[in-house]
Amino acid sequence: MSGTTGPNADESTIRDCENCVAPAEAFSVIANETRLSILEALWQAPDRPVSFSELRREVGMRDSAQFNYHLKQLTDHFVVQTGDGYDFRQAGKKVVRAILAGSFNEHPEMGPFEVTGTCAECGSNLQAYYDDEMLAIECTDCERNHGQYPFPPGGLNDRTREEIMDAFNQRVRHLHCLAADGVCPECNGRMDTTVTRDTEDYLGLEVRVDHECQQCRHQLYSAVGLSLLDQSDVVTFHREHGVDLCTTPYWDLAWCVSDQHTTVLSDDPWKLLVEIPLDDEVLSVTLDGDLTVLEMERTCESASAEEGAQAISD
């Protein structure tokens, strides 16, 4: 399968691949218990490269010829042979990581269970549940969706529910940060970002942000405000009000999961205003359709109220 190229890519470098194998053939190579054991032994080794004899001993196979046959099947595509022994290629590491993540062999379910935070719509409690490698958060009363994203089964291991939610919070931030930067979190392909009307009612929003990979078609959806979670001025604004935005659950920030603080100033072209209130201040952020910050202004709510009262009296 040829690689996907960008407008300035050197096609001769990206597309030519004398040793490439078809996906079906690659999966057939690792669909063997002994070969998976070899990869796992290589992963567990304290130092790499690992010699042939040491690797065979760790796998526990007495027949040297049979072991050599299976190792040769992995070599070049998943494992590389060096002068000092055997080491991983990136594809081999990905196979082991996928196994450790539980993506191939684990299908747990969890919940629903209560999580910290309140519904952005009605103020009721929130709950989370896990199914089909997806973790979702919704309101216990109005059932409003506060996000549903992939979370590999391995992320549930050796964690309390609170720790799972902390990890999920960081993962969602990471997913959207990569997507907004144009990098697919699944395959590293080119990710396109668009603002659209939420006609399918995925998140109960007037407008939503869509991220879609042009290579693997992976998709992410969110409210407009979620794109501002790692914006330096927004982070500073919260810090000055005693809030650590880096650890605050995104689902507990109304401007990240709802439209109540978002105003559509124009839709041709898109121009959006997100207003973030904290204590007696409001941070107003204006963005375009690419989620580029156009303007930013901090105002005092009390001052605005006084100006409004003065205008009425006049």
Side-chain angles (χ1 to χ4, degrees):
M1 184 172 64
S2 61
T4 301
T5 62
N8 300 316
D10 182 348
E11 294 191 9
S12 63
T13 301
I14 294 177
R15 296 196 176 197
D16 292 346
C17 183
E18 296 178 359
N19 297 320
C20 287
V21 295
E25 182 181 346
F27 279 110
S28 69
V29 168
I30 58 174
N32 177 281
E33 185 175 350
T34 298
R35 294 168 198 168
L36 288 177
S37 295
I38 292 173
L39 293 176
E40 290 177 3
L42 197 57
W43 182 271
Q44 296 295 336
D47 298 298
R48 292 192 294 266
V50 182
S51 68
F52 178 92
S53 59
E54 183 180 351
L55 200 55
R56 180 167 65 90
R57 183 171 60 253
E58 290 299 321
V59 172
M61 180 173 286
R62 294 183 179 181
D63 189 329
S64 178
Q66 186 179 9
F67 180 79
N68 183 61
Y69 167 76
H70 288 295
L71 184 56
K72 289 298 184 185
Q73 297 303 305
L74 293 170
T75 303
D76 293 336
H77 301 301
F78 299 98
V79 170
V80 60
Q81 183 178 10
T82 72
D84 298 319
Y86 293 86
D87 202 346
F88 277 116
R89 287 195 180 277
Q90 287 300 318
K93 290 182 180 180
K94 289 181 179 179
V95 169
V96 178
R97 286 179 179 137
I99 293 172
L100 294 174
S103 298
F104 292 154
N105 59 338
E106 297 180 24
H107 305 284
E109 296 181 5
M110 179 182 290
F113 58 92
E114 188 173 337
V115 298
T116 59
T118 55
C119 176
E121 187 72 22
C122 69
S124 297
N125 294 331
L126 297 175
Q127 65 180 11
Y129 60 90
Y130 185 86
D131 186 32
D132 195 24
E133 297 191 27
M134 301 286 286
L135 204 159
I137 301 174
E138 65 178 23
C139 176
T140 57
D141 190 6
C142 70
E143 299 184 349
R144 180 187 177 85
N145 183 356
H146 285 60
Q148 180 173 338
Y149 297 100
F151 193 73
L156 307 178
N157 296 336
D158 300 320
R159 283 191 173 119
T160 64
R161 288 178 176 178
E162 182 179 14
E163 290 170 338
I164 289 171
M165 297 312 299
D166 286 342
F168 178 67
N169 178 44
Q170 295 303 325
R171 176 174 171 79
V172 171
R173 292 164 178 265
H174 174 69
L175 292 176
H176 283 276
C177 182
L178 280 175
D181 288 339
V183 180
C184 175
E186 290 293 320
C187 75
N188 292 325
R190 186 186 301 275
M191 204 84 168
D192 287 346
T193 298
T194 57
V195 176
T196 183
R197 298 285 180 181
D198 192 14
T199 55
E200 296 91 346
D201 198 29
Y202 287 138
L203 299 173
L205 303 167
E206 178 186 355
V207 292
R208 71 167 192 264
V209 176
D210 290 2
H211 303 290
E212 182 174 2
C213 177
Q214 296 308 298
Q215 182 166 271
C216 73
R217 300 302 174 186
H218 178 63
Q219 296 176 314
L220 290 171
Y221 309 109
S222 74
V224 175
L226 193 62
S227 66
L228 298 173
L229 270 177
D230 65 343
Q231 209 283 337
S232 59
D233 292 303
V234 176
V235 173
T236 300
F237 175 67
H238 282 78
R239 184 188 304 118
E240 292 177 356
H241 283 269
V243 178
D244 183 0
L245 194 58
C246 296
T247 58
T248 301
Y250 80 87
W251 58 84
D252 203 22
L253 299 166
W255 51 273
C256 281
V257 295
S258 76
D259 274 339
Q260 62 179 271
H261 297 290
T262 300
T263 303
V264 178
L265 302 177
S266 169
D267 61 6
D268 188 20
W270 284 106
K271 192 173 184 181
L272 306 153
L273 173 67
V274 178
E275 296 176 293
I276 305 173
L278 270 179
D279 301 328
D280 63 343
E281 268 195 299
V282 176
L283 179 65
S284 301
V285 186
T286 305
L287 307 96
D288 63 14
D290 295 323
L291 303 184
T292 301
V293 175
L294 302 176
E295 300 174 28
M296 194 168 296
E297 181 182 11
R298 290 175 66 160
T299 57
C300 181
E301 284 188 321
S302 59
S304 299
E306 289 177 3
E307 291 174 0
Q310 182 65 40
I312 292 175
S313 63
D314 292 345

